[in-house]
Amino acid sequence: MTISSLDAMRDEGVLADFSLEMTAKDIAALHHAAPVIPRGTRINVTFLGNEDFAMRRNAAAAVRAAGFEPVVHISARRIASELELETFLDALHEDHTAAALFLIAGDPARAEGPYDETIDLIRSGIVERYGVERIGIGGYPEGHPHIDDHTLWSALEKKAAAIAELGVRGEIITQFGFDVDAALHWCARVRQRGIDLPIRIGVPGPAGIKRLIGYGRRFGVGTSAGIAKKYGFSLTNLLGTAGPDRFITRLIGEYDHTRHGRIGVHFYTFGGIRTTAEWIEDFRKGAPR
């Protein structure tokens, strides 16, 4: 790919419609970052165990009020009852923030209520009752530390089919990773299996090197040495900060629509929403970093 085509891809390709992620505690950070985030950007509100429904509701409402599109996460295994799910969705519907949801099974080993897997939420009737227009589901290009590949692929195929049956838009957002080759190879395998949902490849936003390594180990997406090599930083400078420059540049350069289908990028901001948004703005302008 030539330099000129790379520059064009910054605005017209995988970064044309990026999304961001925040927690319910990041409302102040969102307000600080809002001036440098394009209006209409999708911002995912996570479903952490230490944040309650009221906090998540307020965060989703703040996203919408700031001119962005909230995508609220719901963790199946953290929902204690059908009533709890309905109460939360009633509130989101009232706030006009229920149109887009991201559904995951969640971290608990055992379900706290009637929903054990993502597919249980998809088939629960929430689309029909709450006017959900788009459902996001998870993908794992570098595998999952506690789930074998066969199970992951089977679940992905079932979820994609269930979304298609509902007649709503769907998308896949992958776990963050550090390996472009693994991400694009996985996208190609998704297409080979007949799944044509848009894919947003998860990428860590600029963050401290120690934090990146810690998250990588926690989610089983690489060793310290492997992350450093693929992401382009030195393990001798653990106090420094690393951005996804090399990852995104390689992703743009090696992306092939015929093989990989529709893809975009989802940034895991680790609390640094404005830092991530500024990095994206600079990268799209071709500014040196």
Side-chain angles (χ1 to χ4, degrees):
M1 178 173 287
T2 66
I3 296 298
S4 60
S5 60
L6 175 60
D7 289 341
M9 284 286 283
R10 292 178 194 271
D11 288 323
E12 299 173 7
V14 299
L15 280 180
D17 181 28
F18 65 87
S19 54
L20 301 168
E21 188 153 311
M22 63 178 281
T23 76
K25 298 175 183 176
D26 290 332
I27 294 177
L30 173 68
H31 291 156
H32 180 59
V36 292
I37 302 174
R39 289 185 65 83
T41 296
R42 298 180 199 175
I43 300 183
N44 288 35
V45 179
T46 58
F47 201 99
L48 300 179
N50 61 353
E51 297 175 350
D52 61 28
F53 287 128
M55 294 171 65
R56 299 179 194 118
R57 177 186 185 180
N58 290 340
V63 170
R64 186 174 186 275
F68 310 120
E69 181 180 352
V71 181
V72 180
H73 289 207
I74 298 180
S75 171
R77 293 177 191 161
R78 293 190 187 278
I79 300 294
S81 66
E82 183 178 349
L83 177 61
E84 187 175 87
L85 177 63
E86 291 178 349
T87 300
F88 183 43
L89 287 169
D90 278 334
L92 296 181
H93 187 67
E94 180 180 336
D95 296 341
H96 305 287
T97 56
L101 302 176
F102 180 74
L103 308 179
I104 54 172
D107 292 334
R110 293 188 178 184
E112 297 174 11
Y115 309 106
D116 187 54
E117 302 293 343
T118 304
I119 194 75
D120 299 329
L121 291 175
I122 296 173
R123 293 173 173 166
S124 67
I126 60 176
V127 168
E128 297 88 340
R129 293 198 298 273
Y130 297 99
V132 177
E133 299 173 1
R134 185 174 62 248
I135 293 176
I137 55 177
Y140 299 90
E142 298 185 43
H144 190 289
H146 306 300
I147 306 174
D148 64 84
D149 282 351
H150 174 77
T151 300
L152 286 174
W153 283 114
S154 176
L156 184 65
E157 290 172 341
K158 290 177 181 177
K159 288 182 286 190
I163 290 170
E165 289 174 6
L166 290 171
V168 297
R169 288 176 290 166
E171 68 177 0
I172 301 168
I173 300 178
T174 77
Q175 175 59 278
F176 73 86
F178 302 92
D179 190 334
V180 174
D181 293 333
L184 288 177
H185 177 68
W186 185 85
C187 289
R189 291 183 68 187
V190 170
R191 305 312 179 200
Q192 291 167 2
R193 290 172 177 264
I195 301 172
D196 64 355
L197 295 176
I199 299 172
R200 291 181 181 270
I201 296 175
V203 182
I209 290 172
K210 289 180 70 173
R211 179 176 245 191
L212 288 173
I213 291 174
Y215 275 107
R217 286 174 173 170
R218 176 182 172 188
F219 292 101
V221 292
T223 63
S224 299
I227 293 170
K229 180 178 179 181
K230 292 166 185 171
Y231 231 53
F233 58 76
S234 172
L235 289 176
T236 62
N237 185 27
L238 293 181
L239 297 180
T241 298
D245 307 60
R246 177 185 291 191
F247 186 102
I248 297 295
T249 299
R250 280 198 61 202
L251 180 67
I252 290 172
E254 298 180 22
Y255 167 62
D256 178 351
H257 183 272
T258 303
R259 294 180 57 232
H260 306 127
R262 294 169 292 169
I263 70 169
V265 178
H266 177 74
F267 288 93
Y268 292 85
T269 64
F270 302 138
I273 303 176
R274 182 166 182 127
T275 300
T276 300
E278 289 176 337
W279 181 94
I280 297 167
E281 184 177 48
D282 288 346
F283 186 90
R284 293 177 73 175
K285 291 178 179 176
R289 289 164 305 282

